[in-house]
Amino acid sequence: MSRIIFATGNEGKMREIREILKDLNMDILSMKEAGIELDIVEDGSTFEENALIKARAIAQTDVCRAHGDIVLADDSGLEVDYLNLEPGIYSARYMGEDTSYRIKNHNIIQRLDGVPEDKRTARFVCAIGAVFPDGRVITTRGTIEGIIGWEERGSNGFGYDPIFYLPEYGCSTAELSMDVKNKLSHRGNALRALKEKMFREHLI
Ligand code: IMP
């Protein structure tokens, strides 16, 4: 059976991708499950570049070449319009990789002190890069639009979820159940776009 390798060690992401791609009838493995260990420097200047850097590095391993695997990788982050799209591709590294999200989130709220609701627009972005065994490459992007809140709310999710509000739902993404968030999320949208593009371009 053909295999898809997804460049992540995150179990939550694996569950989401398995759910969305389940009708492809392919084995979907994490890097770890495929026995691949690789430290990759993400030094691209866009989400798409970073996703492709990861996917290409993994596609070049002996394991993937021997199996003829399709390799997927994602890169995601938060763009705040008022902050000139910061933290963007530096979302994980914002204020330092080891700084807690409580501190990062408070800092963003502080930088938006006094900013009215209509200028607090923000989005989560996710780019997915896919490398196919014949060398072809595609990328897709998914987003979810919201605003930066005035305080942290909710304890589901991770990262910037407690300060990312969805006005039409009246809550932050940290207050949504995982199921609902996956249906709306930037990663879900990027994965669904990827599936469509793979079919449309006869890549699978
Ligand atoms: P990565 O693409 O998994 O490296 O994620 C980059 C960073 O973006 C994460 O560490 C989070 O800070 C942020 N991020 C990406 N997606 C989300 C999300 O759905 N909720 C909250 N934060 C997110």
Side-chain angles (χ1 to χ4, degrees):
M1 189 191 276
S2 316
R3 311 194 315 174
I4 292 180
I5 311 296
F6 193 53
T8 186
N10 179 319
E11 259 316 303
K13 286 189 188 178
M14 286 310 297
R15 264 201 305 277
E16 193 177 356
I17 185 178
R18 284 198 174 103
E19 176 61 31
I20 291 174
L21 302 185
K22 67 181 176 211
D23 49 339
L24 296 186
N25 200 25
M26 294 176 80
D27 265 343
I28 302 176
L29 307 179
S30 68
M31 277 167 70
K32 193 169 155 203
E33 288 162 344
I36 299 166
E37 240 183 90
L38 211 56
D39 241 346
I40 302 160
V41 181
E42 295 169 35
D43 55 1
S45 56
T46 62
F47 292 109
E48 281 79 2
E49 273 178 29
N50 278 337
L52 274 181
I53 286 170
K54 285 185 261 187
R56 282 202 171 104
I58 290 157
Q60 277 161 15
T61 60
D62 291 342
V63 174
C64 291
R65 286 158 58 126
H67 280 90
D69 293 327
I70 297 173
V71 179
L72 308 183
D74 75 327
D75 195 51
S76 60
L78 174 70
E79 289 182 346
V80 181
D81 291 323
Y82 188 78
L83 303 179
N84 293 316
L85 307 185
E86 271 187 66
I89 57 168
Y90 302 105
S91 292
R93 290 165 273 175
Y94 182 64
M95 299 181 78
E97 190 102 34
D98 296 329
T99 304
S100 75
Y101 275 92
R102 172 136 289 194
I103 293 174
K104 297 185 202 221
N105 284 334
H106 281 173
N107 173 269
I108 289 179
I109 288 174
Q110 236 160 36
R111 291 179 70 191
L112 266 65
D113 191 30
V115 175
E117 176 162 349
D118 64 334
K119 294 205 166 57
R120 301 179 77 92
T121 49
R123 70 205 51 79
F124 282 128
V125 177
C126 175
I128 301 204
V131 176
F132 295 84
D134 63 2
R136 282 187 290 176
V137 157
I138 59 172
T139 61
T140 58
R141 175 179 277 227
T143 58
I144 174 172
E145 299 285 335
I147 61 168
I148 298 302
W150 290 263
E151 63 188 8
E152 286 190 283
R153 267 170 52 178
S155 52
N156 301 335
F158 67 102
Y160 299 101
D161 279 326
I163 61 166
F164 188 77
Y165 286 28
L166 300 175
E168 67 275 35
Y169 286 78
C171 68
S172 78
T173 45
E175 294 176 292
L176 297 174
S177 70
M178 195 166 83
D179 270 4
V180 174
K181 189 184 162 195
N182 287 350
K183 289 207 174 79
L184 305 173
S185 85
H186 47 315
R187 197 169 351 269
N189 290 336
L191 281 168
R192 283 182 281 272
L194 175 87
K195 188 161 95 172
E196 229 180 83
K197 201 164 180 175
M198 289 198 297
F199 278 124
R200 208 175 45 239
E201 299 188 8
H202 307 290
L203 288 157
I204 46 170

